[in-house]
Amino acid sequence: MVSVSVRVALALGALQGVLEWLPVSSEGNVALVLTVLFGFSAVDAVGLSLFLHAGTALAAGVYYRGTLADLLRSVPDWRPRTAFDDRNAELSFLAVGTLVSGVVGVGAYATLDSLVSALTGGGFVAVIGALLVASGLFQRLVGADALGRRTEPGPLDAVLVGVLQGIAVLPGVSRSGATTGGLLLRGHDGGEAFRLSFLLSIPAALGAGGLAVVEAGGPPSLAPVPALAALGASALVGLATIDALLRVVERLPFWAVCVGLGGVALLGAGLLLP
């Protein structure tokens, strides 16, 4: 367990609360800060960064509370004859996407756990840097202009986005960038793609935070009081910033920010590697 003051824990939670809404991989960047500035091991950095996602999941739940309430009211009438019910496409999208992302995410997490256990600090930073660059290039490839052909999500959308969200458990892969990009490729417009992406993120982020707690046998790497402070800051700052930052994302080329951060991480890894 790393000794971190409540003040530092609050700063870490606030960082997660801001970065979660930007397509630059909050997990990857928080893990970089923990590794480079505070001396966390790769395993501890990943565990804590996933734990903090539970706070921003709560913030997203409050922000989208009206939509979630409507979806919950529609559950009694949801009787899918197959894996996907076209009568309530959005609820089916969230159910199927969550199931797929859970299966893929558990496999990706097991791979990640084996990988980071074998990495030194410099190697871990290099992996995050490479994944950040790849995430940025994917966002650039997709572009901000969607054809807007689709108005409702379908089964292929749910499976594709579920796979992308599951893979995004890897630090450096932007969850929002990957899932929104996948929906843009499928013909959804930007605003709808972001909304569906963040609705789908709520159960996934809560699950990732819970998995980190189970894996560590408690709040990962922190004493209970700093851990609660970090989680609270993540939720409160996330709720305070989500609306403004989602508007910013629609206007600025964050793919370039993602690539730039990844490039800096790769350069830093070169200095850390023996």
Side-chain angles (χ1 to χ4, degrees):
M1 182 178 296
V2 180
S3 178
V4 170
S5 68
V6 171
R7 183 179 299 178
V8 170
L10 289 170
L12 292 171
L15 181 65
Q16 165 64 24
V18 170
L19 293 181
E20 174 62 18
W21 319 125
L22 306 177
V24 294
S25 179
S26 61
E27 181 191 350
N29 282 287
V30 170
L32 280 176
V33 169
L34 292 170
T35 303
V36 176
L37 297 184
F38 297 102
F40 278 64
S41 69
V43 172
D44 290 341
V46 168
L48 182 53
S49 61
L50 288 175
F51 172 69
L52 294 178
H53 276 68
T56 42
L58 293 174
V62 173
Y63 183 76
Y64 288 111
R65 60 190 180 278
T67 300
L68 292 174
D70 290 340
L71 289 171
L72 289 174
R73 280 193 289 268
S74 70
V75 168
D77 298 323
W78 187 55
R79 300 286 190 274
R81 292 179 293 272
T82 61
F84 205 92
D85 184 3
D86 291 334
R87 293 167 298 174
N88 195 326
E90 196 161 288
L91 185 57
S92 293
F93 168 82
L94 295 175
V96 175
T98 297
L99 176 63
V100 172
S101 64
V103 172
V104 174
V106 168
Y109 184 81
T111 302
L112 172 64
D113 191 48
S114 300
L115 176 64
V116 297
S117 298
L119 288 175
T120 61
F124 181 58
V125 171
V127 168
I128 294 177
L131 290 174
L132 280 169
V133 171
S135 291
L137 293 177
F138 173 71
Q139 293 174 53
R140 178 68 181 90
L141 177 66
V142 172
D145 297 324
L147 298 178
R149 298 186 305 268
R150 297 178 180 273
T151 57
E152 290 188 334
L156 184 56
D157 298 324
V159 173
L160 173 62
V161 175
V163 170
L164 291 171
Q165 180 163 267
I167 294 171
V169 75
L170 302 175
V173 177
S174 168
R175 189 210 61 79
S176 60
T179 55
T180 301
L183 288 167
L184 289 174
L185 285 174
R186 290 285 299 154
H188 296 272
D189 66 56
E192 181 67 1
F194 273 113
R195 190 179 72 87
L196 290 172
S197 169
F198 281 107
L199 284 173
L200 188 62
S201 77
I202 296 171
L206 289 173
L211 182 62
V213 170
V214 170
E215 184 82 8
S221 310
L222 294 181
V225 172
L228 289 175
L231 193 65
S234 171
L236 292 174
V237 173
L239 184 59
T241 59
I242 180 172
D243 189 65
L245 290 177
L246 288 182
R247 295 177 190 276
V248 169
V249 167
E250 294 178 356
R251 293 171 172 79
L252 297 178
F254 274 91
W255 70 268
V257 176
C258 207
V259 171
L261 289 171
V264 171
L266 288 172
L267 289 174
L271 298 176
L272 292 172
L273 289 170

